[in-house]
Amino acid sequence: MRVVVAEDRLNGLIQRSSNVVLFGHENPDGDSIGSCMAMYRYLEGLGRRAHIIINSRLPEYFSFLIPEGVVSYYTEAPEDCERLVAGADLLVFLDMNGADRAGGVAKAVEKARKGDVKPAMVLIDHHLNPKAEEFDIVISDTEVSSACELLYQVLLSQPGVAGDVNKLSLECAKALFTGILTDTNNFANSVYPSTYMAVSALQGRGVDRDAIFNHVFRSYSQQRMRLMGHMLQDNMRCIAHGVAYFTLSRRTKEEFGFVKGDSEGFVNLPLAIKDIKMTAFFTEEEDYIKVSLRSKGDIDVNEFSRRYCNGGGHRNASGGRLYMPMEEVPAYFESKVNEYFAG
Ligand SMILES: [Mn+2]
């Protein structure tokens, strides 16, 4: 579904702005940083000053996209982030359906919106249920692979670009390509005809596909590979209804010298088994259990997450949070799976 409000005002807003802040979502991924960096590069080309705020640091293998000093992490420098928001006249939210998904900085956004000089709010996203009422401009489409694919279309429609991909800088094209590559898991899911059109044009622009693939999918540590082996061999449980799941405890994290990003993509692995149609990955964080859900075909893990895991997302990929000890997660999850597939 496509929801568009006042898209034609975007260029005017950008031209009039002097301090733009771009926001990526919590637990940032390749699409989140890709869309932020692509927008940053586009604005840079127009001579606009922009800054990116992301709640917490990304896995190290995305650093090839991010120059020094461009991204501020809220968990590391909350005051700096709040100052940036207070001084901004244009706030752009990418790859999330509402400002609250930006994490801790969302409070500062709310405050700025209640102040005398209200910054304009723009949403560019591909998740279900956009909170359109929060924004002055809404560009939301759920029938695209990624925020980066949508942003590619948006940028191409801007007056200075006018459909010519060569008007985008190579750095901008690389960032867009990265988000599409990662959100589709190397073109395994959520791929539309428009997705191939976009990556084809971006590769034609000069994006080195192999170099980005190597950065994103072939830069892992040895401990990640060993953790993957352990999770598949000793942890994965296959239960009724074609469901498989993993639980990653803090103890196992310590044992394998876990660093952020080490379990990226693990949730997809059981979907390679013929009869598995839905997977879940539970990670024990400081004060909650992080939930990742994936599915094949008609099984709606967005609905599952909204009902049982305090979250949401897309039909075949969603996330959420549970507030219970890890020991209770298997029984809780298995009973909810039974309930879900019974109804
Ligand atoms: Mn995305």
Side-chain angles (χ1 to χ4, degrees):
M1 200 173 73
R2 199 173 171 104
V3 181
V4 175
V5 180
E7 183 176 8
D8 55 334
R9 286 178 47 213
L10 182 61
N11 182 54
L13 260 186
I14 289 172
Q15 298 297 344
R16 284 193 304 279
S17 67
S18 41
N19 283 302
V20 188
V21 176
L22 313 173
F23 297 88
H25 59 71
E26 273 182 291
N27 299 312
D29 56 18
D31 194 30
S32 168
I33 190 62
S35 54
C36 284
M37 278 312 306
M39 193 65 177
Y40 174 89
R41 296 298 191 182
Y42 173 71
L43 294 167
E44 184 181 48
L46 297 176
R48 301 285 112 186
R49 195 209 306 251
H51 206 93
I52 298 170
I53 296 178
I54 293 184
N55 199 54
S56 56
R57 212 163 266 274
L58 285 118
E60 180 56 32
Y61 50 82
F62 286 119
S63 57
F64 77 100
L65 277 182
I66 314 171
E68 201 60 45
V70 169
V71 180
S72 294
Y73 301 97
Y74 184 80
T75 48
E76 293 172 20
E79 287 93 5
D80 291 358
C81 294
E82 281 154 16
R83 211 173 305 123
L84 282 165
V85 173
D89 48 11
L90 177 56
L91 308 178
V92 184
F93 297 81
L94 296 134
D95 195 28
M96 65 182 101
N97 62 0
D100 57 328
R101 297 288 326 277
V105 77
K107 274 203 189 78
V109 172
E110 232 172 87
K111 196 173 152 203
R113 287 287 281 178
K114 285 180 187 143
D116 298 334
V117 195
K118 290 181 184 57
M121 303 260 289
V122 176
L123 181 76
I124 301 175
D125 179 46
H126 71 124
H127 292 84
L128 296 166
N129 313 311
K131 294 180 182 152
E133 67 285 355
E134 293 180 0
F135 300 91
D136 302 293
I137 295 179
V138 177
I139 307 168
S140 161
D141 193 342
T142 54
E143 303 279 301
V144 291
S145 63
S146 52
C148 277
E149 182 185 327
L150 182 59
L151 182 59
Y152 164 80
Q153 294 169 6
V154 171
L155 295 183
L156 242 65
S157 72
Q158 295 305 296
V161 182
D164 181 1
V165 70
N166 293 308
K167 296 269 167 64
L168 301 178
S169 70
L170 183 56
E171 290 304 319
C172 176
K174 271 190 206 171
L176 291 171
F177 194 96
T178 303
I180 299 173
L181 185 72
T182 53
D183 248 25
T184 60
N185 188 24
N186 196 24
F187 306 104
N189 32 46
S190 312
V191 178
Y192 297 82
S194 56
T195 312
Y196 293 118
M197 305 281 277
V199 291
S200 170
L202 292 168
Q203 210 170 343
R205 170 66 188 85
V207 170
D208 183 344
R209 184 258 173 201
D210 293 353
I212 295 182
F213 181 85
N214 286 338
H215 274 301
V216 174
F217 293 112
R218 288 180 175 160
S219 303
Y220 293 124
S221 62
Q222 201 182 119
Q223 89 246 10
R224 170 190 148 97
M225 203 56 112
R226 296 194 187 283
L227 174 64
M228 187 192 286
H230 166 74
M231 295 304 287
L232 288 170
Q233 175 71 23
D234 304 319
N235 188 276
M236 181 176 72
R237 278 179 248 190
C238 296
I239 58 174
H241 308 290
V243 176
Y245 71 98
F246 303 99
T247 53
L248 177 56
S249 67
R250 288 169 76 176
R251 218 179 109 196
T252 304
K253 281 186 185 175
E254 272 163 39
E255 207 178 303
F256 283 83
F258 182 91
V259 295
K260 220 174 155 78
D262 272 357
S263 59
E264 195 70 44
F266 285 9
V267 65
N268 294 303
L269 296 172
L271 290 178
I273 301 169
K274 186 164 178 270
D275 296 321
I276 296 297
K277 298 184 188 76
M278 172 176 160
T279 65
F281 196 96
F282 300 95
T283 310
E284 189 176 8
E285 301 289 351
E286 197 75 32
D287 40 22
Y288 64 95
I289 305 288
K290 184 182 163 217
V291 185
S292 299
L293 298 158
R294 297 291 184 273
S295 65
K296 290 179 192 162
D298 288 340
I299 295 176
D300 187 349
V301 289
N302 172 53
E303 181 59 31
F304 187 93
S305 183
R306 289 161 73 91
R307 250 194 246 172
Y308 307 118
C309 303
N310 309 299
H314 310 280
R315 189 185 61 190
N316 294 136
S318 70
R321 285 181 179 201
L322 293 176
Y323 302 93
M324 62 180 70
M326 190 56 123
E327 306 83 72
E328 292 174 18
V329 168
Y332 174 80
F333 178 65
E334 293 190 22
S335 78
K336 294 308 171 191
V337 164
N338 286 332
E339 191 178 313
Y340 188 69
F341 285 94

